[in-house]
Amino acid sequence: MNILIPIIIKRLGTAVITLLLVSAVVFSISNLLPGDAAQEMLGQSATPEAVAELREAYGLNDPPLTRYGKWLWGLVQGDAGVSLANAQPVSSLIKERLSKSLLLAAFTTVVAVPFAMILGISAAMYSGSRVDRAINLFTLSMVAVPEFLLATIFVLIFAVELNWLPSLSYIAGDAGVYDYFRAFAMPVLTLCIVLSAQMARLTRAAVVEQLSQPYVEMALLKGSTLSRAVLRHALPNAIGPIVNAVALSLSYLLGGVVIVEVIFNYPGLASLMVDAVTNRDMPLLQACAMLFCLGYLLLVLIADLAAIVANPKLRKGG
């Protein structure tokens, strides 16, 4: 454990520097978006005097470096500013939507991880067989298909043709378990398929490597069944690479959730960020982008630590 502390501190320092660089990139790119936030808020009928007054009130006339410095200092203090489109604190808007995105991510993880484990371990146990080839074909196909295409196909099948599920993921305040199931079914299914395919392939590679080790062969020679050798011997030693694979795959979920929330009109953080782009709401857009980056860095950090714990050679290099 003492060996890991300097590594964790080093990785956290790298993450902070990465966040700082990303903040500069996010601020620069968001300010390159066409249109005027003040004009967007007041509408096309607003007088030039009213637009100029609003720009002054929100500090939009300040030099870019000054605005960046104020924004960054506010973030450090936990103040992401005020939404230009909603005139509400950005933190309250994000808090409301973040819980819904986390709920979608939690449902996806609960379904995708066990499914991927079963696929990956089954493919490894029967490596080279028809089962392995069938799973490989399925996972390769699903990795190659983008989320928006899968989501569109599901909408056409389950909402338009069969009329089993709603095309929009709306959840009423008094929704029951069945309503939640109907609302989450297609978004979770879309994310699960792509996510499970990636995790299954990485899990298969980790388990196959362990099955080729002499200790597994010895267990089989002593009469252990293949399933027992996998569950009792190979799988515990493959946990590190598998956790690494799960964390990396979940980081991919952050990108997929943007597309899925927009297609199914799910009221999460990603759709809030897309609305911020439409409304030229820079404080909200920048805060959402930084939050996604922070989530990605945390998952990559977990993946790195899992790889370091599993492989002693990586501890020497840090």
Side-chain angles (χ1 to χ4, degrees):
M1 186 64 188
N2 292 334
I3 300 175
L4 289 179
I5 291 176
I7 298 174
I8 293 173
I9 293 173
K10 184 178 178 182
R11 296 302 170 100
L12 286 176
T14 305
V16 171
I17 294 172
T18 305
L19 271 178
L20 189 62
L21 293 174
V22 169
S23 70
V25 173
V26 167
F27 185 86
S28 302
I29 291 178
S30 60
N31 279 279
L32 290 177
L33 289 175
D36 188 336
Q39 186 74 58
E40 194 72 28
M41 291 170 63
L42 296 175
Q44 295 300 321
S45 60
T47 62
E49 292 77 14
V51 173
E53 186 177 347
L54 190 63
R55 289 183 62 82
E56 188 65 30
Y58 281 104
L60 298 177
N61 290 326
D62 293 341
L65 279 178
T66 304
R67 283 188 281 128
Y68 174 68
K70 289 181 179 176
W71 171 68
L72 192 61
W73 180 241
L75 280 185
V76 172
Q77 294 178 311
D79 180 11
V82 177
S83 165
L84 299 181
N86 300 283
Q88 295 180 31
V90 169
S91 57
S92 64
L93 292 172
I94 287 180
K95 183 180 178 182
E96 180 185 349
R97 296 292 192 96
L98 181 61
S99 59
K100 295 177 179 175
S101 286
L102 289 177
L103 186 62
L104 176 61
F107 277 132
T108 304
T109 304
V110 166
V111 176
V113 172
F115 182 58
M117 294 299 104
I118 293 171
L119 283 182
I121 293 171
S122 301
M125 286 176 64
Y126 303 103
S127 178
S129 67
R130 290 182 179 179
V131 174
D132 183 28
R133 287 196 290 272
I135 293 175
N136 274 334
L137 180 62
F138 169 74
T139 54
L140 270 177
S141 304
M142 292 302 102
V143 166
V145 179
E147 291 94 342
F148 73 87
L149 182 58
L150 269 180
T152 306
I153 292 172
F154 289 150
V155 168
L156 288 174
I157 295 175
F158 296 111
V160 178
E161 293 295 330
L162 300 176
N163 200 23
W164 288 354
L165 298 169
S167 58
L168 302 180
S169 295
Y170 172 73
I171 302 173
D174 57 347
V177 176
Y178 180 66
D179 298 318
Y180 271 93
F181 171 78
R182 283 172 56 81
F184 279 101
M186 284 201 286
V188 169
L189 183 61
T190 303
L191 290 171
C192 274
I193 287 182
V194 178
L195 202 63
S196 300
Q198 292 179 336
M199 278 192 284
R201 292 186 63 77
L202 294 172
T203 301
R204 177 192 178 278
V207 177
V208 163
E209 183 182 354
Q210 292 301 320
L211 287 176
S212 64
Q213 299 299 317
Y215 70 89
V216 176
E217 295 180 10
M218 181 59 70
L220 293 173
L221 289 173
K222 286 185 174 181
S224 176
T225 60
L226 179 59
S227 57
R228 183 181 175 86
V230 169
L231 296 176
R232 293 285 301 274
H233 303 290
L235 199 55
N237 290 301
I239 282 296
I242 289 175
V243 172
N244 177 276
V246 170
L248 285 177
S249 300
L250 290 180
S251 65
Y252 180 80
L253 176 67
L254 295 175
V257 78
V258 176
I259 299 169
V260 168
E261 285 190 5
V262 172
I263 290 179
F264 294 106
N265 200 26
Y266 183 79
L269 187 64
S271 60
L272 182 68
M273 187 170 70
V274 174
D275 291 341
V277 174
T278 305
N279 298 324
R280 309 293 188 272
D281 194 346
M282 302 310 170
L284 184 57
L285 169 63
Q286 292 159 355
C288 290
M290 291 301 296
L291 203 56
F292 273 101
C293 179
L294 180 63
Y296 181 82
L297 288 175
L298 283 176
L299 289 171
V300 170
L301 177 64
I302 293 171
D304 285 349
L305 292 178
I308 291 170
V309 170
N311 189 349
K313 292 180 182 176
L314 294 178
R315 298 175 200 170
K316 297 177 182 177

